[in-house]
Every structure is written in C-alpha cells, then in structure tokens.
Amino acid sequence: MSARIIDGKARAERLTADVAARVAARVAAGKPKPGLAAVLVGENPASQIYVRNKRRTTDATGMASFSHDLPAAVTQGELLALVDRLNADSTVHGILVQLPLPKHIDPDAVAERIDPRKDVDGLHPYNLGRLALKRPLLRPCTPYGCMTLLADTGVDLVGRNAVVIGQSNIVGRPMALELLMARCTVTICHSATRDLPGVVVGADVLVAAMGRARFVQGGWIKPGAIVIDVGINRDAEGKLCGDVDFAAAKERAGWITPVPGGVGPMTIATLLANTLRAAELAEGAA
C-alpha cells in the first residue's frame, strides 16, 4: 500500500484564490481592504523567509500589507508600544508578530497585548479559550489549516482515535482542541510519554509536531492512518524534512502530507483567511 498524498500547496492555492476573490468583492462594494501588519524582530533567517512569504501572499490577495521590521535589540516596551499603535489603527485588521522573539522579550506578554479581534494567529488566551469552549472566532492558523487538509480527505473523523505528538501552545494544544471539536478521541503525547510507538500505532489520525527530523518511524504507523506532518526540519545533509520518516510511513498510511508542500503553505493561507475574517468581524459580520 502507498498513501495518497495530501497536497497542501494546491489546497493553499485554492484557499488563497478564494480569499482574493472575496477581497475583490469587498473592494468593489466600497469596503476597505483587509489590512495585515507583520512585525519581524531581529534577523532570524527562517523568520525572514516566513515573513517575506506571508507579505508576498498578502499582496497577491489584494489585501493591504504593513511591514514593521525591528532590530533584535528593541526593548519589550518598544515592541508593546508598536502593538498598541496597531491595535488603535482602523486600517489594520490583523496583527502578526513573528516568533521566535529575542530572549529578552516575553512572547506571552506580546501575544496578550494584541487585540483579540486582530489576533489572526489565534494565539491570544481569549481566542484559545473560545476554541476550548467550542465557540471559535479566530483559530490558530496551523491547526486550522490541518483541519482543512483532514476535511479534504473525505474521511469521517467522528469517533476516530487521534494522536498529537507535541504540546506547544502554537500547534499541539490547539490541534488537540480542534480534533476534539471534530469528535475524535484525542491523546496528546510529549517527551514524558511512555511507550510512544505503542500509543502512535493505535492512531487513526496522527499529527506530528515535535520538531525532530524523521523522529516518527514508519513502523509506528497504523495501516491506513491519516498522517499530518507539521514538522519543518533539516537533516544532516541540509535537506528539508518533517517529523515523520516520510518514505517509510507512506507505505503504511492511507493519507500523508509531504514536507515541504504540506502543512506549511496552509498555515499562510489560513492566516490570510483569518485576516479577512477579522475584517468582517470588525464590521459586525456574524
């Protein structure tokens, strides 16, 4: 058996095209463009690439893009002051502060300073709380993108055993909440989990998000399972790879996302969909 590939790049292109069409319709109706402010602190090469891609895609959808590049030495107070200005700016509907931040800046303080109505990353405690209560507004981008990819398989998730490897606030925890809302039976695994292979082998749906290159072995995969690989790593040869041993896993899985070309593009597309949603919410749309 060889798994069917879940093409995140193609799905992201369709979502981005839909967002662009809806933005064009807004503008034609005399409404303002949704505005996304992207804040980059320092010169982390990976962050620079991510933010550049996000800004380019924002422009491609016809949205307004606001760039704020700050030096690594910026103080937490200065960064929070910028967030305050963006919160008060009616032309900005979404605020993205790229992580990771320099060690002297508390990322939780920054996340909590963003107006929840402009929190298009979906990481403010208010938005995570709404997700936990099954009343989501702006949902964390990567988990929400993963749910879109899962929906595209056509597999009914109700009652399925889902395993999430990783407990970060950005992916693991909200991913578990998304799967729980889809009526899966959810297990979260982490560094203290005993017999991880024994837990994973029972998963109908596996989401790997621990940031370790090819950590999940093919033999751990339940035959026919759906495998969502969130990891983006470089192996010893410098080649991009995920958290799952793709070559081995695809011989057992029913569906699998590749790296690159899987979850990554969906994260950016979902960010733009969230920005459009934030603009609609600002106008009182349901």
Side-chain angles (χ1 to χ4, degrees):
M1 180 177 66
S2 185
R4 284 169 283 188
I5 304 300
I6 304 174
D7 191 340
K9 182 179 179 181
R11 184 63 180 88
E13 288 173 351
R14 295 199 303 274
L15 178 55
T16 302
D18 176 67
V19 169
R22 291 167 61 191
V23 169
R26 283 177 56 86
V27 173
K31 296 181 179 180
K33 293 181 178 181
L36 175 62
V39 180
L40 176 63
V41 181
E43 298 179 351
N44 180 291
S47 293
Q48 289 177 324
I49 293 171
Y50 295 152
V51 171
R52 183 166 63 246
N53 289 340
K54 290 169 182 175
R55 289 169 176 167
R56 182 174 63 243
T57 311
T58 302
D59 292 336
T61 61
M63 293 186 182
S65 178
F66 305 100
S67 299
H68 298 273
D69 294 345
L70 306 177
V74 69
T75 68
Q76 180 166 306
E78 290 169 334
L79 177 56
L80 293 177
L82 172 60
V83 171
D84 288 341
R85 293 195 297 273
L86 296 175
N87 283 338
D89 188 341
S90 62
T91 66
V92 174
H93 300 94
I95 301 171
L96 162 72
V97 178
Q98 181 65 42
L99 301 176
L101 293 168
K103 292 182 179 180
H104 66 279
I105 296 177
D106 179 2
D108 291 335
V110 175
E112 291 187 28
R113 193 65 158 254
I114 296 172
D115 185 333
R117 296 167 297 181
K118 297 188 178 188
D119 169 39
V120 288
D121 256 343
L123 300 179
H124 191 284
Y126 175 81
N127 284 317
L128 288 174
R130 296 274 313 204
L131 180 60
L133 294 173
K134 300 186 292 184
R135 297 166 54 200
L137 282 179
L138 296 174
R139 296 155 78 166
C141 296
T142 298
Y144 194 17
C146 289
M147 295 307 296
T148 301
L149 295 178
L150 286 169
D152 281 358
T153 68
V155 175
D156 184 3
L157 298 181
V158 175
R160 302 278 183 173
N161 290 324
V163 172
V164 179
I165 309 178
Q167 60 168 342
S168 75
N169 292 335
I170 297 174
V171 180
R173 291 170 187 260
M175 187 74 237
L177 291 173
E178 287 280 4
L179 289 164
L180 187 61
M181 193 162 60
R183 304 292 307 282
C184 292
T185 300
V186 183
T187 301
I188 303 178
C189 298
H190 44 75
S191 60
T193 298
R194 298 178 181 179
D195 187 21
L196 181 60
V199 177
V200 172
V201 76
D204 300 307
V205 179
L206 173 65
V207 180
M210 82 291 293
R212 296 179 62 180
R214 301 193 183 95
F215 178 78
V216 178
Q217 302 301 300
W220 301 4
I221 306 300
K222 180 180 181 179
I226 306 174
V227 178
I228 305 293
D229 192 348
V230 180
I232 301 178
N233 314 286
R234 290 195 180 274
D235 62 18
E237 289 73 43
K239 183 179 179 181
L240 277 176
C241 64
D243 291 346
V244 177
D245 184 349
F246 179 83
K250 72 181 179 66
E251 298 305 317
R252 293 174 63 90
W255 297 83
I256 191 169
T257 59
V259 177
V263 174
M266 280 302 300
T267 297
I268 297 177
T270 304
L271 173 73
L272 299 179
N274 274 354
T275 302
L276 175 58
R277 176 67 170 147
E280 293 171 345
L281 290 171
E283 297 162 354

